[in-house]
Amino acid sequence: MLLALGLSCVRAHRVNKHKPWIESSYHGVITENSDVVLLDPPLVALDKDAPVPYAGEICGFHVHGLSAPFEAVVLNRTSGEGRLRARGPIDCERQREFTFIIQARDCGTGPEGHGEKRSHKAVVHVEVGDVNEFSPVFGQLEYHGSVTEGKVYDSILQVQASDQDCSPQYSQICNYQITSQDTAFAIDRNGNIRNTASLNFDKKSHYKIHVTAFDCGQKRAAQDAVVHIHVQPICKPGWQGWSKLIDYEPGTGSKLLFPKMHLETCVGWVSWIRTTVELETSGAGRGCDRQSHSERALQKLCGASSGSTDLLPAPSGVFNWTATLVADGGRDSDLSYRFDGRQAAKIPDWVVPQNLTDQFTITTWMKHGPSPGQRAEKETLLCNSDKTEMNRHHYSLYVHNCRLVFLLRTDYTQTDSFRPAEFHWKLEQICDKEWHYYVISVDFPVVTLYVDGVTYDPYLVTDDWPIHSSQIDLQLTVGACWQGARNWIEASLHSNTSHTEQRDAGNSKFTQYFRGSLSGLTIRSGKIASQKIISCLQTCKEGLDITSPESLRQRIKFHLNPAQSLVVMEGEDLEQMNAALRKVSYINSRQFPTKGARHLRISTAVQCFGEDVCISVPDIEAVVMVMQPSEPRIIITGAEHLTVPASNLALGLSLFRDLHIISTVTNTDHRSGALKEIAHNLDYCDIMVLGEELRAGLESLELHHSALLGKHLEYANSSTGMSIYGVDSISHYTEVIRQVRYQSRQAVDSVRTFRLTCSELNGRYTSDQYMLQVNILHGEEAFEHVNHAMAPPKYMQIIHPTVTESNSYKTFIIIINVGNISLLHIFFGNCEPFFFFRIL
């Protein structure tokens, strides 16, 4: 038995004596998301023990490596064919290839698999095949790029997309495409965007285009990218961030002009900057109350004593010699007059100052340009010459070849020696076609000229003999010189005139016409205008200002001229200059500013390191638009009819005892939003006689000078009426007008009609026309009127005595009335009674 067992073991060992055989390496491919691996070569195991059962058969394959997600199964034990498969889904994006070891084993010697043999170890390399399951995705959904106008770029910016697929075929982006239509841009395969034509900033400054991407499997991006192309203007040195139109609401105080302004230099560091801001005005002293008050009123407001004569007032019933002149502007500029070489005005004798001495002052605003022709004639602003017979100029102010000349001839009653007679000034301002303020201060023999507050001495003074005194009346004119009707040879025999004054005369006429514009021409006799008054007349309520100048410290040097129309700033730092310019503001403190445009001009000079001038910054112009202010209303009320016996007019009739003047304006308080009432002043009131003028010596309008004491008022009287003028309160005007009396020393018509109008801002705002009709009763009419008023006599009214006190006397007035008729007036003045009885 033992021998038999041993023989059996030897036989079995001899049966499974060979190991299975497989290839030494395999290369496999598996498509992701599947479990089938395609091997090359195929998985087949061979055993030389075949066809011996079990020993020649293949029972399995063993995969070494716990991380390998594969397994091998036997398809046919006899042929040794097997299959490699994945134990689960394979994701290429997680792992693209696997390497592991595989062995084959036979079935051993029997069903139990005892005595099995294994093959050598073979290396298996499996690559995972990619599936195009992902779409391209852009790195950002929006891209921004900029170009300078006029340039064509090879690449403005690059867009980039990516794909999460694992293979180069599906993970690489093979193409980009612009999906927007009609664009001036193109894109290449690398995502570089370029412009196909030059772009214009003014035409279009921003472009928005859509871009998509494709992978190499032609799968399109799920979402397009948006690309913004900003067109930048060609860098030109200049100011940026400013507005051409700035609205200004009256009453709002100071307003910043350039809150966001900055200077673009287009270069590196700069070493020095100077900026000039100029507020340009096209009118005479616009903003300096030129449209608010007359020159005469302005002088009084500035502290000058009375005595100034306004030669170019606004036209009115009394001051009517300017009515035929041409106003230089609209309604708000009636104080300015334009002379074109054909207009002139004679000043009435009652207006002309008669007491000019060696000390007086002439003031005027003037705008004048170069005269046509090579040898320009004299252009006379003001001339005082002989009215008849002769042609002597006693004093005159004229322009000749852009030189201002003042002529002053003394007569033999003052001196008989050679004395200064002509004073010449040559200034650019005389012919620059801009408004300037001229003051000629005479303190003979010294004559000083002020132009816009700056003092100028004459460059030439010529002497002449005094002129002979005569009884010839003088004529003061504006805009030309009056030439008396006499031949110059005859005139030379009777006077010691210079050759410049001797002209062909013929008939009396105007000559040496002025071409330009004048405003506020005044003469002040016996007084010299002080520098303080001149500065006051130059000071504007409208102008430029710098908000918080102390914050600039020493970093920026700035200068503001006295008229507040010019600001000059200098500094070395660009940002500090920008900050300083943002502090420049416009201010207008006038109660009723003139609406309309105020022009601004900004000029700049820049220096760079090592260079005198490195860039040129163009000037800019802007407009401050002053809005329409709330307009006042002037309302005059009182009795419209008065009935009085003619006999009562001899002592005078108070025309306006019941007068009331109301002038208010409703304005909005910008801080609280509430409506507020603003009190203001009048500047003249005219009492005009309608119908036949007052008869000289028989009728008159009377006003006692004491009524003007303590007030800024004056008055002028003529046969056509009375004008009360001066900048003063409504209450003062009312008080004075109530004291105006109409006096008639002889019987007149039965009706006299008077018209009262008042004005403020020199005619800019006028009242309604208040009409007063005085019915005058003569003889029996007065008796019948009184009897009618007394019948039936119901009562007698005694008015309590009225006492009027002054420094020198007391006046008691006792009036006894029956019905509405005064029977007895008793006046006690300086303790002496005066009786006035009405004859019934």
Side-chain angles (χ1 to χ4, degrees):
M1 289 180 64
L2 290 174
L3 180 61
L5 181 60
L7 292 173
S8 176
C9 291
V10 172
R11 190 180 295 113
H13 178 72
R14 288 179 179 178
V15 169
N16 193 14
K17 63 180 181 179
H18 296 97
K19 297 187 295 182
W21 177 90
I22 58 176
E23 298 287 345
S24 60
S25 64
Y26 294 90
H27 182 79
V29 176
I30 183 174
T31 302
E32 64 175 340
N33 301 325
S34 70
D35 61 352
V36 177
V37 179
L38 301 177
L39 287 177
D40 182 24
L43 183 59
V44 176
L46 301 176
D47 196 320
K48 291 183 179 181
D49 292 324
V52 178
Y54 299 107
E57 296 177 351
I58 304 301
C59 277
F61 295 93
H62 181 68
V63 176
H64 297 276
L66 298 177
S67 62
F70 298 97
E71 63 180 4
V73 297
V74 178
L75 298 179
N76 190 319
R77 293 174 61 175
T78 301
S79 62
E81 182 182 357
R83 176 182 291 173
L84 184 65
R85 63 185 183 187
R87 294 198 299 267
I90 301 298
D91 189 354
C92 179
E93 286 70 40
R94 295 183 60 183
Q95 188 169 343
R96 293 186 58 187
E97 57 183 25
F98 298 89
T99 302
F100 50 91
I101 303 297
I102 191 171
Q103 281 183 304
R105 63 181 177 87
D106 58 18
C107 297
T109 59
E112 293 82 7
H114 296 295
E116 67 176 18
K117 290 183 180 295
R118 294 193 176 189
S119 69
H120 61 274
K121 293 180 179 178
V123 177
V124 180
H125 182 76
V126 178
E127 294 183 357
V128 180
D130 190 18
V131 174
N132 196 3
E133 56 185 332
F134 293 99
S135 299
V137 176
F138 285 97
Q140 56 193 73
L141 293 179
E142 289 196 2
Y143 293 83
H144 291 268
S146 62
V147 297
T148 301
E149 63 174 340
K151 293 181 63 177
V152 177
Y153 290 78
D154 293 333
S155 177
I156 300 172
L157 58 85
Q158 183 182 27
V159 298
Q160 289 184 328
S162 61
D163 195 310
Q164 296 182 13
D165 289 310
C166 64
S167 65
Q169 179 183 3
Y170 300 136
S171 64
Q172 291 184 358
I173 306 300
C174 282
N175 190 26
Y176 291 92
Q177 183 177 330
I178 295 175
T179 60
S180 302
Q181 300 295 322
D182 300 327
T183 66
F185 301 92
I187 190 169
D188 62 17
R189 297 182 62 181
N190 296 321
N192 294 302
I193 297 177
R194 62 183 176 85
N195 56 320
T196 58
S198 60
L199 306 178
N200 186 285
F201 174 81
D202 295 328
K203 184 176 180 181
K204 192 172 184 180
S205 61
H206 172 249
Y207 291 85
K208 180 180 178 182
I209 59 178
H210 292 262
V211 175
T212 190
F214 295 89
D215 61 20
C216 294
Q218 293 304 303
K219 191 165 187 136
R220 180 175 172 170
Q223 186 174 359
D224 292 350
V226 179
V227 180
H228 299 272
I229 305 295
H230 303 275
V231 181
Q232 302 295 336
I234 296 175
C235 188
K236 300 176 183 177
W239 291 100
Q240 307 292 332
W242 57 280
S243 176
K244 292 184 179 180
L245 180 63
I246 305 154
D247 290 335
Y248 181 82
E249 189 71 30
T252 56
S254 178
K255 181 170 184 177
L256 294 176
L257 296 174
F258 318 108
K260 298 180 180 180
M261 194 169 183
H262 67 278
L263 178 62
E264 175 61 61
T265 62
C266 298
V267 295
W269 296 97
V270 297
S271 59
W272 176 83
I273 309 170
R274 182 183 67 215
T275 302
T276 302
V277 183
E278 183 179 3
L279 178 65
E280 298 179 351
T281 57
S282 59
R286 182 179 296 279
C288 302
D289 274 354
R290 295 297 311 155
Q291 286 80 32
S292 298
H293 308 297
S294 66
E295 182 72 16
R296 183 173 183 172
L298 283 174
Q299 291 182 12
K300 182 169 282 190
L301 290 174
C302 286
S305 58
S306 60
S308 175
T309 301
D310 194 349
L311 301 181
L312 288 176
S316 65
V318 177
F319 305 107
N320 57 5
W321 63 90
T322 59
T324 59
L325 299 180
V326 179
D328 187 11
R331 177 189 174 201
D332 293 338
S333 302
D334 288 342
L335 291 174
S336 303
Y337 298 96
R338 184 175 69 254
F339 298 84
D340 62 359
R342 292 177 294 180
Q343 294 90 12
K346 290 183 179 180
I347 309 301
D349 292 340
W350 63 270
V351 176
V352 178
Q354 302 296 328
N355 56 343
L356 287 183
T357 62
D358 287 346
Q359 293 183 339
F360 61 95
T361 302
I362 298 175
T363 66
T364 186
W365 287 88
M366 180 178 74
K367 181 172 70 173
H368 181 266
S371 301
Q374 295 181 350
R375 299 189 61 182
E377 296 183 355
K378 293 180 180 179
E379 300 178 53
T380 302
L381 286 75
L382 176 68
C383 182
N384 193 33
S385 60
D386 292 328
K387 183 176 294 187
T388 59
E389 299 186 39
M390 296 189 182
N391 182 31
R392 300 175 301 173
H393 299 181
H394 293 255
Y395 63 84
S396 66
L397 180 64
Y398 62 89
V399 175
H400 189 210
N401 290 326
C402 291
R403 291 166 174 81
L404 185 66
V405 183
F406 176 63
L407 171 69
L408 178 61
R409 301 292 303 280
T410 57
D411 57 41
Y412 272 107
T413 60
Q414 297 173 304
T415 182
D416 59 356
S417 61
F418 217 50
R419 302 192 68 183
E422 284 188 338
F423 304 83
H424 299 249
W425 293 270
K426 184 178 181 181
L427 303 173
E428 293 180 358
Q429 296 92 321
I430 297 173
C431 287
D432 66 357
K433 299 182 180 180
E434 299 291 340
W435 281 104
H436 297 285
Y437 187 60
Y438 297 81
V439 177
I440 296 177
S441 179
V442 179
D443 188 2
F444 198 82
V446 177
V447 178
T448 305
L449 172 67
Y450 299 87
V451 180
D452 298 331
V454 180
T455 306
Y456 296 93
D457 293 325
Y459 80 93
L460 175 65
V461 178
T462 59
D463 296 338
D464 206 341
W465 290 103
I467 58 179
H468 290 285
S469 60
S470 68
Q471 301 301 316
I472 300 175
D473 292 335
L474 301 181
Q475 178 64 63
L476 183 63
T477 56
V478 174
C481 201
W482 182 253
Q483 193 173 56
R486 187 165 185 180
N487 185 273
W488 69 271
I489 298 178
E490 297 180 60
S492 64
L493 296 175
H494 291 83
S495 65
N496 189 21
T497 59
S498 65
H499 64 88
T500 59
E501 295 175 350
Q502 298 167 359
R503 298 288 186 270
D504 293 335
N507 297 323
S508 297
K509 63 178 181 179
F510 283 115
T511 186
Q512 299 176 6
Y513 283 97
F514 178 70
R515 292 177 176 85
S517 297
L518 296 176
S519 177
L521 178 59
T522 68
I523 296 183
R524 177 178 296 278
S525 60
K527 297 291 183 180
I528 298 177
S530 67
Q531 182 68 46
K532 181 179 180 181
I533 294 175
I534 294 174
S535 299
C536 175
L537 292 171
Q538 288 290 113
T539 301
C540 295
K541 292 185 177 181
E542 174 185 24
L544 301 174
D545 195 13
I546 299 179
T547 306
S548 304
E550 64 279 357
S551 63
L552 301 178
R553 300 177 184 175
Q554 302 299 322
R555 299 174 297 177
I556 298 293
K557 297 179 181 179
F558 67 91
H559 168 72
L560 183 64
N561 71 338
Q564 292 183 258
S565 62
L566 186 71
V567 176
V568 180
M569 297 182 289
E570 295 184 3
E572 299 178 353
D573 186 88
L574 177 60
E575 290 305 319
Q576 292 174 2
M577 179 60 70
N578 290 336
L581 194 63
R582 295 185 192 115
K583 293 180 178 293
V584 177
S585 60
Y586 169 82
I587 187 170
N588 194 325
S589 58
R590 289 177 59 193
Q591 194 170 24
F592 304 107
T594 305
K595 68 174 181 178
R598 313 293 197 266
H599 294 273
L600 288 168
R601 178 184 294 272
I602 301 177
S603 56
T604 308
V606 179
Q607 290 182 0
C608 299
F609 290 98
E611 302 179 41
D612 291 337
V613 178
C614 57
I615 60 173
S616 177
V617 179
D619 294 350
I620 64 173
E621 295 183 355
V623 172
V624 177
M625 184 61 67
V626 178
M627 310 306 289
Q628 174 69 50
S630 300
E631 297 188 357
R633 290 188 59 197
I634 307 173
I635 302 174
I636 304 176
T637 59
E640 297 180 358
H641 298 273
L642 291 179
T643 301
V644 59
S647 57
N648 284 17
L649 298 179
L651 294 178
L653 171 67
S654 295
L655 296 174
F656 307 104
R657 289 173 297 181
D658 300 325
L659 180 73
H660 294 280
I661 304 176
I662 301 173
S663 178
T664 57
V665 62
T666 302
N667 199 8
T668 302
D669 189 326
H670 293 274
R671 288 171 294 183
S672 64
L675 297 178
K676 60 180 181 180
E677 196 172 79
I678 303 175
H680 36 99
N681 298 325
L682 302 178
D683 51 24
Y684 72 80
C685 287
D686 282 342
I687 304 172
M688 300 301 300
V689 179
L690 301 184
E692 184 181 353
E693 294 184 1
L694 298 178
R695 296 173 295 173
L698 299 178
E699 292 179 279
S700 62
L701 292 175
E702 302 292 337
L703 178 63
H704 200 279
H705 285 283
S706 62
L708 305 179
L709 294 177
K711 303 175 181 65
H712 296 290
L713 297 177
E714 301 177 63
Y715 79 95
N717 210 348
S718 71
S719 61
T720 60
M722 176 182 291
S723 180
I724 303 171
Y725 52 91
V727 180
D728 212 331
S729 65
I730 295 175
S731 60
H732 280 178
Y733 265 94
T734 304
E735 180 182 343
V736 170
I737 295 174
R738 286 176 178 175
Q739 299 182 59
V740 174
R741 304 176 66 83
Y742 166 61
Q743 192 173 46
S744 176
R745 298 170 182 83
Q746 194 178 70
V748 295
D749 295 337
S750 299
V751 176
R752 267 294 188 190
T753 304
F754 300 90
R755 182 183 67 202
L756 173 63
T757 56
C758 293
S759 158
E760 60 180 302
L761 303 187
N762 208 63
R764 183 174 171 187
Y765 304 114
T766 57
S767 69
D768 55 339
Q769 295 184 355
Y770 168 67
M771 309 295 290
L772 173 63
Q773 180 176 299
V774 179
N775 300 310
I776 303 171
L777 304 178
H778 299 276
E780 294 182 358
E781 291 180 344
F783 181 78
E784 293 176 0
H785 178 78
V786 171
N787 284 341
H788 175 74
M790 294 178 58
K794 295 184 178 180
Y795 60 87
M796 176 180 290
Q797 180 182 5
I798 299 179
I799 307 299
H800 294 286
T802 300
V803 181
T804 303
E805 296 189 11
S806 68
N807 294 333
S808 58
Y809 61 87
K810 293 184 178 180
T811 301
F812 296 85
I813 304 173
I814 301 176
I815 303 173
I816 301 176
N817 287 350
V818 175
N820 294 324
I821 307 301
S822 298
L823 296 181
L824 174 64
H825 292 194
I826 306 177
F827 301 87
F828 294 89
N830 290 336
C831 299
E832 297 182 7
F834 297 90
F835 297 90
F836 168 66
F837 293 91
R838 287 193 174 180
I839 307 299
L840 304 180

